[in-house]
Amino acid sequence: MESSGNTLAQKAYDILLNRIITIQYEPGTVLNEQGLVSDLNISRTPIHAACIQLQHDGLIEFIAKKGIRVTDIDADFIRDIHDMRAMIEPYALEKYGCSIPKEQLLRYLRQFADPATTKEALFDLDLDLHTQLVHQTGNRLLCSYFDTLRHHIARIANICGRRSTNRLAASNKEHESLLIPLINDDIPGAVEALRKHLKNSREVACQLIVIDPQLSSIEDGGGNAEKQDT
């Protein structure tokens, strides 16, 4: 493709990626390229290129005679994601956590602890912190892999955040428990806190996505469970 085509493909990719990870397109949603052409006002070739990349990322799948389907998140997928996180993130923190600038860690801590920080900002902050831990390794292959993994982490976090008002507050406290020892150069304490956080995240994801996806109707009167139109 020419440069303009690449630009449009990137634009289409960014829009569709955002809709998938923010659950505007929920897992299992079926789309079609012609509908996306009209919706995004972008021609079919860059739309198709964007979809191929999203398929490579594991976020959509092409279904013969049906169109495009946003991939499901099931128990096996949650297990796979968290098995990888449990191997990557504690290693990165143990080996390279001490090199993260203290002012950056303090910024994270202040924002997690600030009740004025919006829900959307907290989701971004959460993902940014975990990505920073991995990128601190400087390992290009590991960082590239985690950058793809983070799309799935964001999807899971957004679903859990919508289905439970309690999880976000608990997650903030877990991040504070990770950051405080890290700021004080207590790497073993930070690693232990991270492992607990990842374990809790895994258990909550299984509970809210697999075991009891209607939990939000109990906690929030169904308000946060309302699906967005696609």
Side-chain angles (χ1 to χ4, degrees), residues 1 19 50 52 55 59 66 75 85 87 101 117 119 122 145 162 168 174 180 183 201 206 211 215 218-219 221:
M1 291 185 293
R19 291 181 181 184
I52 289 174
Q55 181 191 39
L59 295 168
K66 290 187 178 181
R85 295 188 69 183
M87 286 188 279
T117 306
K119 181 178 180 179
L122 286 169
Y145 176 75
R162 289 177 60 192
L168 187 58
E174 290 166 16
I180 290 171
I183 289 168
S201 296
C206 286
I211 298 173
L215 184 60
I218 298 173
E219 294 191 352

PDB file of all heavy atoms in Angstrom, residues 1 19 50 52 55 59 66 75 85 87 101 117 119 122 145 162 168 174 180 183 201 206 211 215 218-219 221:
ATOM      1  N   MET A   1       0.835  -1.208   0.000  1.00  0.00           N
ATOM      2  CA  MET A   1       0.000   0.000   0.000  1.00  0.00           C
ATOM      3  C   MET A   1       0.865   1.250   0.000  1.00  0.00           C
ATOM      4  O   MET A   1       1.973   1.245   0.497  1.00  0.00           O
ATOM      5  CB  MET A   1      -0.901   0.011   1.244  1.00  0.00           C
ATOM      6  CG  MET A   1      -1.995  -1.052   1.224  1.00  0.00           C
ATOM      7  SD  MET A   1      -3.088  -0.862   2.652  1.00  0.00           S
ATOM      8  CE  MET A   1      -1.962  -1.287   3.971  1.00  0.00           C
ATOM      9  N   ARG A  19     -12.273   0.349  20.332  1.00  0.00           N
ATOM     10  CA  ARG A  19     -13.631  -0.149  20.549  1.00  0.00           C
ATOM     11  C   ARG A  19     -13.629  -1.552  21.141  1.00  0.00           C
ATOM     12  O   ARG A  19     -14.519  -1.892  21.938  1.00  0.00           O
ATOM     13  CB  ARG A  19     -14.408  -0.139  19.226  1.00  0.00           C
ATOM     14  CG  ARG A  19     -14.710   1.268  18.720  1.00  0.00           C
ATOM     15  CD  ARG A  19     -15.502   1.237  17.428  1.00  0.00           C
ATOM     16  NE  ARG A  19     -15.766   2.587  16.939  1.00  0.00           N
ATOM     17  CZ  ARG A  19     -16.510   2.864  15.864  1.00  0.00           C
ATOM     18  NH1 ARG A  19     -17.047   1.870  15.164  1.00  0.00           N
ATOM     19  NH2 ARG A  19     -16.690   4.116  15.485  1.00  0.00           N
ATOM     20  N   ALA A  50      -6.394  -3.399   8.516  1.00  0.00           N
ATOM     21  CA  ALA A  50      -6.514  -3.229   9.966  1.00  0.00           C
ATOM     22  C   ALA A  50      -7.037  -4.505  10.617  1.00  0.00           C
ATOM     23  O   ALA A  50      -6.568  -4.920  11.684  1.00  0.00           O
ATOM     24  CB  ALA A  50      -7.433  -2.055  10.291  1.00  0.00           C
ATOM     25  N   ILE A  52      -6.721  -7.571   9.510  1.00  0.00           N
ATOM     26  CA  ILE A  52      -5.674  -8.594   9.492  1.00  0.00           C
ATOM     27  C   ILE A  52      -4.744  -8.412  10.688  1.00  0.00           C
ATOM     28  O   ILE A  52      -4.341  -9.378  11.350  1.00  0.00           O
ATOM     29  CB  ILE A  52      -4.893  -8.543   8.165  1.00  0.00           C
ATOM     30  CG1 ILE A  52      -5.770  -9.047   7.015  1.00  0.00           C
ATOM     31  CG2 ILE A  52      -3.610  -9.372   8.257  1.00  0.00           C
ATOM     32  CD1 ILE A  52      -5.143  -8.911   5.654  1.00  0.00           C
ATOM     33  N   GLN A  55      -6.513  -9.502  13.795  1.00  0.00           N
ATOM     34  CA  GLN A  55      -6.513 -10.961  13.852  1.00  0.00           C
ATOM     35  C   GLN A  55      -5.158 -11.467  14.361  1.00  0.00           C
ATOM     36  O   GLN A  55      -5.105 -12.384  15.197  1.00  0.00           O
ATOM     37  CB  GLN A  55      -6.814 -11.546  12.478  1.00  0.00           C
ATOM     38  CG  GLN A  55      -6.853 -13.074  12.466  1.00  0.00           C
ATOM     39  CD  GLN A  55      -6.896 -13.648  11.060  1.00  0.00           C
ATOM     40  OE1 GLN A  55      -6.235 -13.135  10.157  1.00  0.00           O
ATOM     41  NE2 GLN A  55      -7.671 -14.695  10.862  1.00  0.00           N
ATOM     42  N   LEU A  59      -7.408 -10.495  18.560  1.00  0.00           N
ATOM     43  CA  LEU A  59      -8.583  -9.768  19.028  1.00  0.00           C
ATOM     44  C   LEU A  59      -9.829 -10.035  18.187  1.00  0.00           C
ATOM     45  O   LEU A  59     -10.951  -9.835  18.671  1.00  0.00           O
ATOM     46  CB  LEU A  59      -8.293  -8.268  19.049  1.00  0.00           C
ATOM     47  CG  LEU A  59      -7.220  -7.856  20.061  1.00  0.00           C
ATOM     48  CD1 LEU A  59      -6.780  -6.414  19.815  1.00  0.00           C
ATOM     49  CD2 LEU A  59      -7.735  -8.009  21.490  1.00  0.00           C
ATOM     50  N   LYS A  66     -19.780 -15.177   7.354  1.00  0.00           N
ATOM     51  CA  LYS A  66     -20.418 -14.445   8.450  1.00  0.00           C
ATOM     52  C   LYS A  66     -19.775 -13.085   8.685  1.00  0.00           C
ATOM     53  O   LYS A  66     -20.452 -12.136   9.051  1.00  0.00           O
ATOM     54  CB  LYS A  66     -20.380 -15.266   9.740  1.00  0.00           C
ATOM     55  CG  LYS A  66     -21.296 -16.482   9.716  1.00  0.00           C
ATOM     56  CD  LYS A  66     -21.344 -17.149  11.078  1.00  0.00           C
ATOM     57  CE  LYS A  66     -22.304 -18.335  11.072  1.00  0.00           C
ATOM     58  NZ  LYS A  66     -22.382 -18.999  12.409  1.00  0.00           N
ATOM     59  N   ALA A  75     -12.447 -19.256  30.248  1.00  0.00           N
ATOM     60  CA  ALA A  75     -11.593 -19.652  31.376  1.00  0.00           C
ATOM     61  C   ALA A  75     -10.181 -20.007  30.923  1.00  0.00           C
ATOM     62  O   ALA A  75      -9.202 -19.644  31.582  1.00  0.00           O
ATOM     63  CB  ALA A  75     -12.225 -20.834  32.108  1.00  0.00           C
ATOM     64  N   ARG A  85       1.521 -13.562  32.492  1.00  0.00           N
ATOM     65  CA  ARG A  85       1.799 -12.407  33.362  1.00  0.00           C
ATOM     66  C   ARG A  85       2.583 -12.835  34.606  1.00  0.00           C
ATOM     67  O   ARG A  85       3.499 -12.122  35.039  1.00  0.00           O
ATOM     68  CB  ARG A  85       0.499 -11.727  33.781  1.00  0.00           C
ATOM     69  CG  ARG A  85      -0.289 -11.103  32.648  1.00  0.00           C
ATOM     70  CD  ARG A  85      -1.451 -10.277  33.161  1.00  0.00           C
ATOM     71  NE  ARG A  85      -0.980  -9.075  33.838  1.00  0.00           N
ATOM     72  CZ  ARG A  85      -1.782  -8.204  34.441  1.00  0.00           C
ATOM     73  NH1 ARG A  85      -3.084  -8.413  34.483  1.00  0.00           N
ATOM     74  NH2 ARG A  85      -1.279  -7.137  35.031  1.00  0.00           N
ATOM     75  N   MET A  87       4.678 -15.153  34.875  1.00  0.00           N
ATOM     76  CA  MET A  87       6.072 -15.441  34.527  1.00  0.00           C
ATOM     77  C   MET A  87       6.860 -14.175  34.199  1.00  0.00           C
ATOM     78  O   MET A  87       8.038 -14.060  34.551  1.00  0.00           O
ATOM     79  CB  MET A  87       6.116 -16.400  33.330  1.00  0.00           C
ATOM     80  CG  MET A  87       5.739 -17.829  33.663  1.00  0.00           C
ATOM     81  SD  MET A  87       6.023 -18.970  32.284  1.00  0.00           S
ATOM     82  CE  MET A  87       4.563 -18.687  31.298  1.00  0.00           C
ATOM     83  N   PRO A 101      12.535   5.399  37.952  1.00  0.00           N
ATOM     84  CA  PRO A 101      12.747   6.644  38.704  1.00  0.00           C
ATOM     85  C   PRO A 101      11.746   6.805  39.847  1.00  0.00           C
ATOM     86  O   PRO A 101      10.551   6.545  39.684  1.00  0.00           O
ATOM     87  CB  PRO A 101      12.554   7.733  37.639  1.00  0.00           C
ATOM     88  CG  PRO A 101      12.863   7.057  36.342  1.00  0.00           C
ATOM     89  CD  PRO A 101      12.378   5.642  36.503  1.00  0.00           C
ATOM     90  N   THR A 117      -9.120  10.988  40.825  1.00  0.00           N
ATOM     91  CA  THR A 117      -8.696  10.329  39.586  1.00  0.00           C
ATOM     92  C   THR A 117      -9.876   9.577  38.990  1.00  0.00           C
ATOM     93  O   THR A 117     -10.516   8.774  39.671  1.00  0.00           O
ATOM     94  CB  THR A 117      -7.535   9.352  39.833  1.00  0.00           C
ATOM     95  OG1 THR A 117      -6.464  10.047  40.494  1.00  0.00           O
ATOM     96  CG2 THR A 117      -7.016   8.783  38.523  1.00  0.00           C
ATOM     97  N   LYS A 119     -12.279   7.058  36.689  1.00  0.00           N
ATOM     98  CA  LYS A 119     -12.243   5.625  36.426  1.00  0.00           C
ATOM     99  C   LYS A 119     -11.435   5.315  35.169  1.00  0.00           C
ATOM    100  O   LYS A 119     -10.615   4.406  35.151  1.00  0.00           O
ATOM    101  CB  LYS A 119     -13.678   5.110  36.275  1.00  0.00           C
ATOM    102  CG  LYS A 119     -13.807   3.626  36.017  1.00  0.00           C
ATOM    103  CD  LYS A 119     -15.276   3.226  35.938  1.00  0.00           C
ATOM    104  CE  LYS A 119     -15.452   1.749  35.671  1.00  0.00           C
ATOM    105  NZ  LYS A 119     -16.887   1.362  35.614  1.00  0.00           N
ATOM    106  N   LEU A 122      -7.779   5.714  35.817  1.00  0.00           N
ATOM    107  CA  LEU A 122      -7.255   4.621  36.628  1.00  0.00           C
ATOM    108  C   LEU A 122      -6.971   3.381  35.774  1.00  0.00           C
ATOM    109  O   LEU A 122      -5.973   2.694  35.975  1.00  0.00           O
ATOM    110  CB  LEU A 122      -8.227   4.276  37.759  1.00  0.00           C
ATOM    111  CG  LEU A 122      -8.281   5.283  38.917  1.00  0.00           C
ATOM    112  CD1 LEU A 122      -9.452   4.980  39.836  1.00  0.00           C
ATOM    113  CD2 LEU A 122      -6.976   5.291  39.698  1.00  0.00           C
ATOM    114  N   TYR A 145       6.159  -8.489  22.833  1.00  0.00           N
ATOM    115  CA  TYR A 145       5.152  -9.489  23.183  1.00  0.00           C
ATOM    116  C   TYR A 145       4.158  -8.924  24.193  1.00  0.00           C
ATOM    117  O   TYR A 145       2.945  -9.087  24.044  1.00  0.00           O
ATOM    118  CB  TYR A 145       5.815 -10.742  23.752  1.00  0.00           C
ATOM    119  CG  TYR A 145       4.813 -11.766  24.223  1.00  0.00           C
ATOM    120  CD1 TYR A 145       4.098 -12.533  23.316  1.00  0.00           C
ATOM    121  CD2 TYR A 145       4.563 -11.938  25.585  1.00  0.00           C
ATOM    122  CE1 TYR A 145       3.159 -13.451  23.749  1.00  0.00           C
ATOM    123  CE2 TYR A 145       3.631 -12.851  26.020  1.00  0.00           C
ATOM    124  CZ  TYR A 145       2.920 -13.613  25.098  1.00  0.00           C
ATOM    125  OH  TYR A 145       1.982 -14.505  25.533  1.00  0.00           O
ATOM    126  N   ARG A 162     -16.547  -2.912  34.654  1.00  0.00           N
ATOM    127  CA  ARG A 162     -17.957  -2.657  34.379  1.00  0.00           C
ATOM    128  C   ARG A 162     -18.866  -3.532  35.215  1.00  0.00           C
ATOM    129  O   ARG A 162     -19.973  -3.131  35.568  1.00  0.00           O
ATOM    130  CB  ARG A 162     -18.247  -2.896  32.889  1.00  0.00           C
ATOM    131  CG  ARG A 162     -17.665  -1.853  31.958  1.00  0.00           C
ATOM    132  CD  ARG A 162     -17.927  -2.214  30.505  1.00  0.00           C
ATOM    133  NE  ARG A 162     -19.353  -2.303  30.232  1.00  0.00           N
ATOM    134  CZ  ARG A 162     -19.868  -2.818  29.117  1.00  0.00           C
ATOM    135  NH1 ARG A 162     -19.065  -3.316  28.200  1.00  0.00           N
ATOM    136  NH2 ARG A 162     -21.170  -2.851  28.926  1.00  0.00           N
ATOM    137  N   LEU A 168     -12.387  -2.132  41.244  1.00  0.00           N
ATOM    138  CA  LEU A 168     -11.497  -1.025  40.939  1.00  0.00           C
ATOM    139  C   LEU A 168     -10.850  -0.474  42.211  1.00  0.00           C
ATOM    140  O   LEU A 168      -9.644  -0.224  42.247  1.00  0.00           O
ATOM    141  CB  LEU A 168     -12.250   0.083  40.210  1.00  0.00           C
ATOM    142  CG  LEU A 168     -11.402   1.243  39.677  1.00  0.00           C
ATOM    143  CD1 LEU A 168     -10.339   0.732  38.710  1.00  0.00           C
ATOM    144  CD2 LEU A 168     -12.285   2.280  38.999  1.00  0.00           C
ATOM    145  N   GLU A 174      -4.214  -2.510  45.898  1.00  0.00           N
ATOM    146  CA  GLU A 174      -3.162  -3.475  45.583  1.00  0.00           C
ATOM    147  C   GLU A 174      -1.988  -2.792  44.878  1.00  0.00           C
ATOM    148  O   GLU A 174      -0.823  -3.126  45.124  1.00  0.00           O
ATOM    149  CB  GLU A 174      -3.740  -4.586  44.707  1.00  0.00           C
ATOM    150  CG  GLU A 174      -4.701  -5.497  45.459  1.00  0.00           C
ATOM    151  CD  GLU A 174      -5.532  -6.376  44.542  1.00  0.00           C
ATOM    152  OE1 GLU A 174      -5.173  -6.511  43.356  1.00  0.00           O
ATOM    153  OE2 GLU A 174      -6.547  -6.934  45.018  1.00  0.00           O
ATOM    154  N   ILE A 180       4.508   1.187  47.348  1.00  0.00           N
ATOM    155  CA  ILE A 180       5.153   1.659  48.578  1.00  0.00           C
ATOM    156  C   ILE A 180       6.466   0.925  48.859  1.00  0.00           C
ATOM    157  O   ILE A 180       7.504   1.566  49.086  1.00  0.00           O
ATOM    158  CB  ILE A 180       4.173   1.579  49.768  1.00  0.00           C
ATOM    159  CG1 ILE A 180       3.072   2.631  49.589  1.00  0.00           C
ATOM    160  CG2 ILE A 180       4.908   1.795  51.095  1.00  0.00           C
ATOM    161  CD1 ILE A 180       1.926   2.518  50.580  1.00  0.00           C
ATOM    162  N   ILE A 183       9.082   1.976  46.213  1.00  0.00           N
ATOM    163  CA  ILE A 183       9.642   3.303  46.472  1.00  0.00           C
ATOM    164  C   ILE A 183      10.703   3.234  47.571  1.00  0.00           C
ATOM    165  O   ILE A 183      11.712   3.950  47.538  1.00  0.00           O
ATOM    166  CB  ILE A 183       8.512   4.289  46.865  1.00  0.00           C
ATOM    167  CG1 ILE A 183       7.642   4.589  45.627  1.00  0.00           C
ATOM    168  CG2 ILE A 183       9.078   5.581  47.452  1.00  0.00           C
ATOM    169  CD1 ILE A 183       6.355   5.309  45.952  1.00  0.00           C
ATOM    170  N   SER A 201      -6.335 -10.605  40.539  1.00  0.00           N
ATOM    171  CA  SER A 201      -6.873 -10.227  39.234  1.00  0.00           C
ATOM    172  C   SER A 201      -7.371 -11.453  38.478  1.00  0.00           C
ATOM    173  O   SER A 201      -8.419 -11.422  37.831  1.00  0.00           O
ATOM    174  CB  SER A 201      -5.801  -9.503  38.416  1.00  0.00           C
ATOM    175  OG  SER A 201      -5.429  -8.292  39.024  1.00  0.00           O
ATOM    176  N   CYS A 206     -12.006 -14.634  36.510  1.00  0.00           N
ATOM    177  CA  CYS A 206     -12.736 -15.901  36.397  1.00  0.00           C
ATOM    178  C   CYS A 206     -14.143 -15.770  36.985  1.00  0.00           C
ATOM    179  O   CYS A 206     -15.117 -16.269  36.415  1.00  0.00           O
ATOM    180  CB  CYS A 206     -11.975 -17.021  37.105  1.00  0.00           C
ATOM    181  SG  CYS A 206     -10.505 -17.580  36.205  1.00  0.00           S
ATOM    182  N   ILE A 211     -17.697 -17.391  35.766  1.00  0.00           N
ATOM    183  CA  ILE A 211     -18.593 -18.028  36.738  1.00  0.00           C
ATOM    184  C   ILE A 211     -19.898 -17.261  36.893  1.00  0.00           C
ATOM    185  O   ILE A 211     -20.981 -17.834  36.834  1.00  0.00           O
ATOM    186  CB  ILE A 211     -17.890 -18.165  38.106  1.00  0.00           C
ATOM    187  CG1 ILE A 211     -16.651 -19.060  37.960  1.00  0.00           C
ATOM    188  CG2 ILE A 211     -18.846 -18.735  39.153  1.00  0.00           C
ATOM    189  CD1 ILE A 211     -15.787 -19.122  39.200  1.00  0.00           C
ATOM    190  N   LEU A 215     -22.954 -10.598  37.859  1.00  0.00           N
ATOM    191  CA  LEU A 215     -22.736 -10.066  39.206  1.00  0.00           C
ATOM    192  C   LEU A 215     -23.027  -8.586  39.276  1.00  0.00           C
ATOM    193  O   LEU A 215     -23.508  -8.067  40.270  1.00  0.00           O
ATOM    194  CB  LEU A 215     -21.296 -10.340  39.659  1.00  0.00           C
ATOM    195  CG  LEU A 215     -20.941  -9.923  41.094  1.00  0.00           C
ATOM    196  CD1 LEU A 215     -21.815 -10.653  42.093  1.00  0.00           C
ATOM    197  CD2 LEU A 215     -19.473 -10.182  41.390  1.00  0.00           C
ATOM    198  N   ILE A 218     -26.298  -7.337  40.536  1.00  0.00           N
ATOM    199  CA  ILE A 218     -26.484  -7.373  41.982  1.00  0.00           C
ATOM    200  C   ILE A 218     -25.858  -6.141  42.626  1.00  0.00           C
ATOM    201  O   ILE A 218     -26.448  -5.477  43.473  1.00  0.00           O
ATOM    202  CB  ILE A 218     -25.852  -8.649  42.580  1.00  0.00           C
ATOM    203  CG1 ILE A 218     -26.538  -9.889  42.005  1.00  0.00           C
ATOM    204  CG2 ILE A 218     -25.947  -8.643  44.096  1.00  0.00           C
ATOM    205  CD1 ILE A 218     -25.874 -11.196  42.416  1.00  0.00           C
ATOM    206  N   GLU A 219     -24.644  -5.797  42.192  1.00  0.00           N
ATOM    207  CA  GLU A 219     -23.906  -4.704  42.827  1.00  0.00           C
ATOM    208  C   GLU A 219     -24.404  -3.328  42.396  1.00  0.00           C
ATOM    209  O   GLU A 219     -24.444  -2.404  43.176  1.00  0.00           O
ATOM    210  CB  GLU A 219     -22.421  -4.820  42.489  1.00  0.00           C
ATOM    211  CG  GLU A 219     -21.763  -6.045  43.085  1.00  0.00           C
ATOM    212  CD  GLU A 219     -20.271  -5.994  42.948  1.00  0.00           C
ATOM    213  OE1 GLU A 219     -19.781  -5.086  42.256  1.00  0.00           O
ATOM    214  OE2 GLU A 219     -19.593  -6.835  43.546  1.00  0.00           O
ATOM    215  N   GLY A 221     -27.301  -2.578  40.387  1.00  0.00           N
ATOM    216  CA  GLY A 221     -28.650  -2.457  39.891  1.00  0.00           C
ATOM    217  C   GLY A 221     -28.737  -2.635  38.393  1.00  0.00           C
ATOM    218  O   GLY A 221     -29.704  -2.214  37.754  1.00  0.00           O
TER     219      GLY A 221
END
